[in-house]
Amino acid sequence: VKICRDAGIKVRMVTGDNIFTAKAIAIECGILDDERGLAIEGPTFRRYSDEERKAKLKDIMVMARSSPSDKLLMVKTLREMGHVVAVTGDGTNDALALHEANVGLAMGIQGTEVAKDSSDIIILDDNFASVVKVVRWGRSVYANIQKFIQFQLTVNVAALTINFVAAIVTGDVPLTAVQLLWVNLIMDTLGALALATEPPTDELLEKPPGRHTDPLVTNVMIRNLLLQAIYQVTVLLTLQFRGKELLRLKGNDASDVNNTVIFNAFVLCQVFNEVNARNPEKVNIFKGLLKNRLFVGIIVSTVVLQVVIVEFLNKFASTVKLTWELWLVSIGIGFVSWPLAFLGKFIPLPQKPLLLGIHRFKPCCGDDET
């Protein structure tokens, strides 16, 4: 119950027991205390007018001697007030409230078939702690989706801008179709798999829930995306127009070497930025990195595949072999993504969403969850 409160979930008890038993159990569980909360009986709640009911509901933590219709009335009123409501229940009489709630959670052991059929989620062990796991995993999945969107948009914005500007100015593009295919179909698939496997952490339950009207692409994501994309576009377009002079490339294959460096640096920028995407808001992007072995394995696999493409699949990928100095240049360009992300975390952001109209899906246990 304390974890739920810290996560912004308001836990209420609705029971058919008498009010003395209900209050004693609610106090023992931490649902009700002397400082906050109100315990009432179902008939009293039923007699309230609509305005009184909405005014009182913010303080009502226990409702005793309640009927199924009282529970349903509470759920409907909370939803009318704009809350996202999750209901637990095990009996046939709970079916209406389970069905009416945003999320119905039925008990898997003691629950009746009617209750299970009316619910969205079945708690197999009949344990309230499993509700916390549901919220933790739900928030983790949503956070991982945002991480990948940030990573994917950065890759696409940078690649499209580099090729578009280069094509307009010189009539040629530094990233070929095969190279873009590698970036979009293979590397991004691995990136999605890596970011999707980030396990849930307790820190997800230490911040208040977002509202279902909040934009999917947050201000933090926009800041991180623009910082990385602007950096990549600036550096790689500089190499496109001045790379031969800056890298002191000479010979008939100077253009091919320069384009390979651009491609190699671009891919390595995404590898380093993939680590940034793990923690869009945290300063320490390396926290827990080594615990996710699949993520580390995918990063290593991506680097190995990139080495194979650059060094051995030259004809297929339109690349040439690079010297170790040019490899260091490519790695250095990618490495700058880390200190850039660190400094970016200190840029203040407005409270008002920069992107409106791109909304999140309706969550399990969202804003002011009950």
Side-chain angles (χ1 to χ4, degrees):
V1 172
K2 183 181 184 303
I3 293 173
C4 287
R5 277 187 171 173
D6 293 340
I9 305 170
K10 191 174 289 185
V11 182
R12 307 174 194 262
M13 176 191 292
V14 182
T15 176
D17 292 333
N18 69 69
I19 193 167
F20 300 107
T21 302
K23 286 176 67 175
I25 295 174
I27 291 172
E28 184 178 351
C29 294
I31 297 174
L32 186 67
D33 54 43
D34 296 332
E35 298 179 359
R36 58 190 169 192
L38 177 67
I40 67 168
E41 295 183 337
T44 304
F45 181 76
R46 206 179 309 146
R47 288 193 296 267
Y48 286 145
S49 65
D50 291 342
E51 292 74 17
E52 287 177 323
R53 193 176 296 117
K54 290 179 180 179
K56 295 276 188 180
L57 250 180
K58 63 180 181 180
D59 297 319
I60 296 175
M61 305 305 294
V62 176
M63 185 164 69
R65 291 185 59 213
S66 63
S67 65
S69 60
D70 295 331
K71 191 171 186 178
L72 179 62
L73 182 60
M74 175 179 279
V75 173
K76 286 184 175 180
T77 305
L78 286 169
R79 293 197 63 180
E80 289 173 2
M81 295 168 64
H83 298 301
V84 176
V85 186
V87 171
T88 63
D90 58 4
T92 302
N93 292 336
D94 295 321
L96 291 176
L98 288 169
H99 183 268
E100 179 67 23
N102 296 93
V103 182
L105 300 110
M107 301 298 105
I109 300 174
Q110 297 294 330
T112 63
E113 290 302 317
V114 175
K116 294 177 183 178
D117 290 340
S118 301
S119 66
D120 302 291
I121 298 172
I122 298 175
I123 306 297
L124 297 179
D125 58 1
D126 287 14
N127 192 337
F128 182 78
S130 296
V131 177
V132 178
K133 295 179 182 178
V134 170
V135 177
R136 183 188 287 112
W137 274 100
R139 292 188 180 186
S140 176
V141 169
Y142 182 73
N144 289 346
I145 290 172
Q146 288 185 309
K147 293 173 186 177
F148 176 68
I149 289 175
Q150 175 187 305
F151 174 72
Q152 178 84 347
L153 288 178
T154 303
V155 174
N156 291 339
V157 168
L160 289 174
T161 304
I162 292 166
N163 268 12
F164 179 77
V165 174
I168 293 295
V169 176
T170 65
D172 193 16
V173 292
L175 301 174
T176 67
V178 173
Q179 291 170 357
L180 288 176
L181 189 67
W182 152 241
V183 170
N184 283 291
L185 293 184
I186 303 176
M187 184 176 175
D188 286 355
T189 301
L190 293 175
L193 181 61
L195 294 172
T197 57
E198 281 295 308
T201 63
D202 292 335
E203 294 176 355
L204 291 169
L205 298 178
E206 293 176 359
K207 56 184 180 180
R211 297 180 178 276
H212 61 267
T213 55
D214 290 345
L216 178 62
V217 181
T218 65
N219 292 354
V220 171
M221 295 169 63
I222 295 174
R223 177 196 64 193
N224 298 341
L225 186 159
L226 290 178
L227 273 176
Q228 298 296 331
I230 291 173
Y231 164 70
Q232 293 175 23
V233 169
T234 302
V235 173
L236 298 180
L237 283 180
T238 301
L239 289 177
Q240 170 68 13
F241 300 128
R242 299 291 304 278
K244 295 179 184 179
E245 295 85 352
L246 294 174
L247 300 175
R248 299 177 182 178
L249 301 176
K250 297 179 181 180
N252 297 330
D253 63 344
S255 295
D256 293 335
V257 173
N258 189 49
N259 286 341
T260 302
V261 171
I262 293 173
F263 167 62
N264 200 36
F266 177 74
V267 171
L268 291 178
C269 278
Q270 312 319 320
V271 171
F272 282 93
N273 191 41
E274 196 168 341
V275 180
N276 291 332
R278 287 184 62 253
N279 292 311
E281 300 180 9
K282 297 177 184 176
V283 174
N284 183 9
I285 60 174
F286 305 108
K287 184 177 181 181
L289 176 62
L290 297 180
K291 293 181 180 179
N292 190 343
R293 296 181 180 178
L294 181 57
F295 183 92
V296 175
I298 289 174
I299 292 291
V300 173
S301 300
T302 303
V303 173
V304 170
L305 288 172
Q306 179 64 16
V307 172
V308 171
I309 287 176
V310 171
E311 296 296 323
F312 303 104
L313 299 180
N314 305 130
K315 188 175 181 180
F316 172 75
S318 303
T319 59
V320 295
K321 293 183 178 181
L322 298 179
T323 62
W324 66 269
E325 292 95 339
L326 293 179
W327 269 100
L328 288 179
V329 170
S330 301
I331 294 172
I333 292 173
F335 178 81
V336 174
S337 298
W338 283 352
L340 186 65
F342 174 80
L343 295 174
K345 302 294 172 63
F346 299 98
I347 298 176
L349 294 171
Q351 295 294 324
K352 185 178 179 181
L354 296 174
L355 283 183
L356 298 175
I358 305 177
H359 298 300
R360 58 188 281 179
F361 51 79
K362 204 159 190 177
C364 163
C365 310
D367 50 286
D368 200 6
E369 299 150 291
T370 301

